[in-house]
Amino acid sequence: MNKAFPIYDIYSLADHQHNDLLISRFAPYLVKHQNLTLPHKHTFYHVVLFTKGGGKHSIDFKYFEIKSYQIYFMAPGQVHRWDFEGEVDGYIINFSPELFQSFLLRPDYLEGFTFFSGNVDDEVINLSNTTGKELAALFEKLLEEADRTNRPDLDMVRALMLQLFITVAREGLKEEHTGAPNYNYTLLQGFRKLVDKNFTTLRLPKDYAALLYITPNHLNALCNDMIGISAGELIRNRVILEAKRLLVNHSMNINEIAGKLNFADNSYFSKFFKKYTGFNPEDFRKNPVAQ
């Protein structure tokens, strides 16, 4: 594997549709973009509903078995690949972060949906048959709008997409976060956002606890209660994830990656990476695997 890791923007895939948006049935999209079965990264939001097919797909090096009426969501920057078996079909939406910014008063509105948080475990949802059929009908309406001879009515598209997101969020609430205090969930999301922004410079739970105006013990208890890991482990996992994303992109060498992640030197980075993954950075780069 010696080619640079591909990073796709919405404009390279939008075809004849609006530059901020692509809506398609999945089977013809896959035929047209067969190279996307290889590991790649998006600069846009990405949503797929499977209605048919088998095999597996991965998001940020974690694999999921494909099932009918499974929907998954990806935020910009995540690493992704497919490994299908047999015929696969469904629906796909790609859209830029800008699509909703001029439509909603809250520019961070999408971040309120757990499946757009960038946390892999929240991004793949196996729907009930009833909800799956309801979403398939919504996708059909979206296709009708996207296939209009003239420019699609983007306000109608946005409204239908929001209906789709809210429907999925309601389904998820039946299984996840049930009974969890809303304040604690909001606090956890705030911690994750801070880690995403600062993980290269802030590595200690006490640093984030101070930013959240809570004690380190409170932050650790929150993480252990809600996601089953400590605050320190969440921070380390984010560093490891970014290291993996950078390692599969061959445009940077190991020394450059160590520097970008704010490690003192290559040796310290290599020891850290092997301690928490079991692989040397060089070995992972040659053969990226899910862990």
Side-chain angles (χ1 to χ4, degrees):
M1 185 175 176
N2 51 22
K3 293 183 179 180
F5 187 72
I7 302 175
Y8 295 101
D9 62 40
I10 188 70
Y11 307 105
S12 65
L13 301 176
D15 299 328
H16 67 284
Q17 296 186 8
H18 192 278
N19 282 338
D20 287 324
L21 176 71
L22 183 147
I23 303 171
S24 174
R25 287 188 173 82
F26 191 69
Y29 177 87
L30 185 60
V31 170
K32 194 166 189 177
H33 302 289
Q34 294 184 25
N35 55 320
L36 298 183
T37 59
L38 300 173
H40 58 279
K41 185 184 290 190
H42 301 155
T43 64
F44 49 85
Y45 289 98
H46 172 70
V47 183
V48 172
L49 172 67
F50 292 114
T51 58
K52 176 183 179 182
K56 56 189 177 181
H57 62 102
S58 71
I59 302 174
D60 280 339
F61 311 97
K62 184 167 184 175
Y63 281 84
F64 301 88
E65 295 294 325
I66 294 169
K67 301 176 182 178
S68 295
Y69 293 140
Q70 178 186 85
I71 191 167
Y72 74 83
F73 300 81
M74 283 178 54
Q78 294 189 279
V79 174
H80 177 51
R81 69 160 299 177
W82 296 312
D83 186 11
F84 296 128
E85 295 176 2
E87 295 183 16
V88 180
D89 205 357
Y91 305 89
I92 183 169
I93 303 175
N94 295 332
F95 66 99
S96 72
E98 292 75 27
L99 184 65
F100 284 98
Q101 286 180 354
S102 62
F103 184 68
L104 300 170
L105 290 175
R106 286 173 48 197
D108 63 343
Y109 183 83
L110 292 184
E111 296 177 12
F113 294 108
T114 58
F115 42 75
F116 280 136
S117 67
N119 180 40
V120 174
D121 291 327
D122 291 328
E123 294 179 331
V124 180
I125 302 168
N126 295 313
L127 304 166
S128 66
N129 285 343
T130 300
T131 303
K133 291 175 182 177
E134 182 180 349
L135 292 190
L138 277 172
F139 271 103
E140 287 293 333
K141 291 181 181 179
L142 283 163
L143 284 170
E144 289 178 16
E145 289 297 324
D147 289 340
R148 284 176 177 267
T149 303
N150 298 318
R151 180 186 176 108
D153 184 338
L154 287 183
D155 283 351
M156 177 61 79
V157 169
R158 292 181 182 110
L160 289 169
M161 288 172 64
L162 288 174
Q163 184 179 350
L164 187 151
F165 299 156
I166 292 168
T167 300
V168 175
R170 287 176 175 175
E171 176 89 351
L173 284 173
K174 297 174 185 175
E175 301 176 2
E176 300 177 16
H177 310 302
T178 302
N182 186 59
Y183 169 76
N184 282 348
Y185 177 71
T186 302
L187 196 59
L188 177 63
Q189 290 301 93
F191 175 42
R192 281 176 163 156
K193 288 180 183 178
L194 286 172
V195 172
D196 275 340
K197 292 178 181 178
N198 301 287
F199 66 89
T200 60
T201 54
L202 301 180
R203 298 280 171 85
L204 298 177
K206 67 177 183 180
D207 298 325
Y208 293 96
L211 292 172
L212 292 166
Y213 300 101
I214 60 176
T215 67
N217 285 342
H218 184 176
L219 182 59
N220 266 316
L222 173 76
C223 292
N224 279 311
D225 288 346
M226 296 197 70
I227 55 178
I229 61 174
S230 69
E233 188 173 351
L234 188 150
I235 298 166
R236 287 195 301 273
N237 288 348
R238 184 63 183 87
V239 177
I240 290 295
L241 172 58
E242 194 65 21
K244 289 179 176 180
R245 290 176 175 176
L246 294 171
L247 285 166
V248 295
N249 185 348
H250 286 236
S251 65
M252 299 179 69
N253 62 41
I254 304 298
N255 283 330
E256 290 171 328
I257 292 172
K260 186 174 179 64
L261 294 176
N262 206 28
F263 285 89
D265 53 48
N266 180 16
S267 175
Y268 181 34
F269 167 64
S270 296
K271 290 177 181 176
F272 174 88
F273 190 84
K274 184 169 184 179
K275 179 179 180 180
Y276 293 108
T277 69
F279 295 88
N280 291 317
E282 295 84 354
D283 293 335
F284 180 86
R285 165 165 275 181
K286 292 174 184 176
N287 184 29
V289 293
Q291 297 180 54

